[in-house]
């Protein structure tokens, strides 16, 4: 079974959390795309969606699924999204696709966050995947210098602009022993919009596709 088939397996399993008549928060990336495609089969049972990126909004609309502005809906019962890494506490690294800020907003506005992934994403300690940080353009050098002081090695994601018109700095070499503390620390640097640690608001359930079927953590 390929990694992509495992992602699809996890995405299909997330369908059972979708409640009739509800608004569903939708993540970004290849695993979230599998979920969108699966959701299309039951689109008449839901009220609509809130998307965490322009790319996901386009895919949802192509399936004829309604996409609402977050400001026009209240709290969302369910958010489904992938991740680049998860630890056993369901604290995540996200943002490989550069949609971390909107993903974090939709996750924060959602009562339940189901993370879907292939089982290679489960790690003992976060940080092997470079941590994405969205920054305001004028602050990129300043933020990079602050990251070096914290022990990280920053690299600007070349040729990439987020849906919010900002830049991404990918950071390697940070020791992520206390994810909530580092998440706060990075967010406190002037010019940082948000960082890809999802530890203050971790996932509630992690569905991992694997050779042996879907494994569930949390919930
Ligand atoms: C996008 C994300 C994605 O959830 C993350 O990069 C995982 O992507 P994929 O499902 O393609 O493996 O955070 O910003």
């Amino acid at each position: 079974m390929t990694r992509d088939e495992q992602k699809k397996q996890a995405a299909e399993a997330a369908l059972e959390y979708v409640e009739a008549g509800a608004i569903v928060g939708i993540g970004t990336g290849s695993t979230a795309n599998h979920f969108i495609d699966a959701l299309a089969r039951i689109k008449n049972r839901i009220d609509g969606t809130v998307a965490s990126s322009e790319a996901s909004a386009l895919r949802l609309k192509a399936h004829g699924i309604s996409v609402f502005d977050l400001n026009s809906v209240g709290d969302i019962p369910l958010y489904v999204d992938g991740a680049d890494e998860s630890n056993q506490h369901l604290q995540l690294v996200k943002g490989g696709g550069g949609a971390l800020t909107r993903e974090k907003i939709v996750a924060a506005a959602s009562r339940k966050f189901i993370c879907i992934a292939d089982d290679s994403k489960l790690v003992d300690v976060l940080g092997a995947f470079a941590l994405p940080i969205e920054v305001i353009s004028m602050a990129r050098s300043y933020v990079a210098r602050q990251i070096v002081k914290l022990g990280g090695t920053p690299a600007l994601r070349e040729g990439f602009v987020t849906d919010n018109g900002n830049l991404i700095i990918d950071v390697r070499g940070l020791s992520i022993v206390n994810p909530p503390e580092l998440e706060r620390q990075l967010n406190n640097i002037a010019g940082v919009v948000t960082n890809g640690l999802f530890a203050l608001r971790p996932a509630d359930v992690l569905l991992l596709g694997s050779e042996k079927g879907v494994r569930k953590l949390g919930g």
Side-chain angles (χ1 to χ4, degrees):
M1 186 180 262
T2 64
R3 294 257 174 254
D4 194 57
E5 285 165 340
Q6 293 178 5
K7 289 177 181 188
K8 188 171 178 185
Q9 201 185 44
E12 295 275 341
L15 270 191
E16 79 175 61
Y17 292 86
V18 177
E19 290 166 17
I23 305 264
V24 185
I26 306 289
T28 299
S30 57
T31 321
N33 281 346
H34 283 307
F35 180 69
I36 292 170
D37 298 345
L39 192 65
R41 299 201 304 268
I42 60 161
K43 65 181 179 189
N44 296 330
R45 277 192 246 156
I46 61 166
D47 219 29
T49 60
V50 170
S52 62
S53 64
E54 301 297 338
S56 290
L58 274 177
R59 195 176 187 100
L60 287 158
K61 287 175 189 166
H63 278 300
I65 300 173
S66 307
V67 180
F68 299 117
D69 186 311
L70 181 62
N71 294 306
S72 68
V73 300
D75 274 1
I76 300 171
L78 178 70
Y79 179 54
V80 180
D81 196 1
D84 299 302
E85 285 184 339
S86 173
N87 64 17
Q88 294 282 349
H89 306 291
L90 311 196
Q91 297 167 329
L92 313 172
V93 168
K94 289 185 46 54
L100 60 159
T101 298
R102 295 189 188 193
E103 290 171 343
K104 201 173 271 197
I105 294 166
V106 184
S110 299
R111 290 196 288 277
K112 191 161 208 162
F113 177 4
I114 310 288
C115 183
I116 50 178
D118 67 83
D119 70 353
S120 70
K121 304 283 182 78
L122 184 63
V123 298
D124 289 331
V125 180
L126 301 175
F129 190 92
L131 179 66
I133 302 184
E134 180 163 353
V135 297
I136 304 283
S137 173
M138 73 167 283
R140 67 179 191 274
S141 301
Y142 168 74
V143 172
R145 290 197 298 279
Q146 302 313 302
I147 285 166
V148 170
K149 284 183 195 162
L150 291 174
T153 305
L156 184 67
R157 199 177 289 185
E158 294 292 342
F160 186 87
V161 176
T162 70
D163 284 350
N164 313 307
N166 299 313
L167 303 176
I168 298 282
I169 294 176
D170 291 302
V171 183
R172 294 198 175 277
L174 284 175
S175 152
I176 310 186
V177 288
N178 186 340
E181 175 57 27
L182 183 62
E183 182 176 353
R184 275 193 209 95
Q185 211 174 355
L186 291 170
N187 282 345
N188 274 339
I189 300 173
V192 167
V193 178
T194 197
N195 71 83
L197 275 169
F198 283 53
L200 297 167
R201 199 286 179 243
D204 299 302
V205 174
L206 175 62
L207 298 174
L208 290 171
S210 78
E211 292 289 346
K212 294 180 187 156
V214 178
R215 194 172 143 207
K216 177 182 163 189
L217 278 77

